[in-house]
Amino acid sequence: MDVKAQSRSARIERQTLETQVRVHIALDGRGEARILTGIGFFDHMLELFARHGLFDLEVECRGDLQVDDHHSIEDVGIALGQAFAQALGEKKGIARYGEATVPMDEALCRAVVDLSGRAYFVYNLPTRRQKIGNFSVEMAEHFWRSFAHEARCNLHIDLLRGRNTHHVLEACFKAVARALRRAVELDPRVPGVPSTKGVL
């Protein structure tokens, strides 16, 4: 997968005493993914994110998993948000807004995004389990909060119904991916930046 060959793409490297993270993203991709974080369920969710957003995505994280998964998931969220913002550039001609409602068996999740240049995050996903494999379920909220802050977008995620925590989180990641896919799409009818302020 040649991420650099894509027109709207970015690469971010983040290194701390806790993690080493590398992210490559191409917004105009085919949904190809290469993910390696050491957290199996998280890898699965990022693969779903790439496939349903049609983003070509590479993520590699070496983190202090001997402590727990917090630093790795948080720092991947930060790096992915930064890469997303960088790949968008000036946001000329984009749709800006995106919405998706996705079912996963009994679960139904809605995600709404505005690539506004302002970070705001609302998360309403009650879950029943605390862990899926070595993934802490509470870190899903923290991941998306970190992403929204660094991508500088409004992101609202709501669970409309659902019981199985795996299904709930899978519907969540798919819904956000599809909402972002719609928001980054280029609309030939949009002249310049889609804002009366002239900047996003």
Side-chain angles (χ1 to χ4, degrees):
M1 175 174 54
D2 186 4
V3 175
K4 294 180 181 179
Q6 302 291 340
S7 56
R8 295 190 296 172
S9 63
R11 173 180 178 175
I12 294 292
E13 295 190 10
R14 175 180 173 84
Q15 183 166 343
T16 72
L17 295 177
E18 299 163 340
T19 65
Q20 295 178 343
V21 179
R22 294 190 302 113
V23 172
H24 291 218
I25 191 168
L27 302 182
D28 305 303
R30 297 188 299 180
E32 299 178 7
R34 190 173 70 190
I35 314 293
L36 184 60
T37 69
I39 307 166
F41 183 77
F42 188 41
D43 289 358
H44 180 45
M45 293 300 101
L46 292 175
E47 289 166 358
L48 292 174
F49 174 77
R51 177 63 59 89
H52 287 270
L54 290 180
F55 309 128
D56 288 346
L57 180 64
E58 297 181 13
V59 176
E60 182 178 350
C61 177
R62 297 182 181 180
D64 54 355
L65 295 180
Q66 76 281 3
V67 177
D68 67 7
D69 57 346
H70 186 110
H71 299 138
S72 294
I73 295 172
E74 177 182 40
D75 285 4
V76 169
I78 290 170
L80 182 59
Q82 290 173 346
F84 210 89
Q86 184 174 314
L88 276 172
E90 296 179 352
K91 305 178 185 175
K92 291 182 178 179
I94 65 168
R96 176 177 168 175
Y97 296 96
E99 186 273 338
T101 303
V102 171
M104 176 64 190
D105 292 349
E106 89 296 342
L108 186 65
C109 184
R110 178 180 60 216
V112 185
V113 66
D114 174 12
L115 301 176
S116 62
R118 301 182 309 277
Y120 201 88
F121 180 65
V122 177
Y123 186 88
N124 178 30
L125 257 79
T127 52
R128 297 185 175 193
R129 292 173 61 182
Q130 294 182 338
K131 298 277 282 190
I132 300 178
N134 60 342
F135 178 87
S136 301
V137 170
E138 68 178 0
M139 286 305 300
E141 178 177 2
H142 197 58
F143 169 78
W144 288 120
R145 185 182 305 278
S146 298
F147 173 86
H149 184 268
E150 297 297 332
R152 299 189 299 278
C153 68
N154 285 192
L155 178 59
H156 293 243
I157 307 172
D158 293 286
L159 179 66
L160 303 181
R161 65 180 63 93
R163 297 182 305 277
N164 182 285
T165 302
H166 186 127
H167 295 167
V168 166
L169 292 184
E170 186 163 333
C172 165
F173 274 76
K174 288 177 178 178
V176 175
R178 287 181 170 269
L180 286 169
R181 171 180 163 184
R182 291 171 180 167
V184 304
E185 284 180 347
L186 297 173
D187 186 337
R189 298 197 304 157
V190 176
V193 175
S195 172
T196 55
K197 294 190 293 291
V199 65
L200 288 174

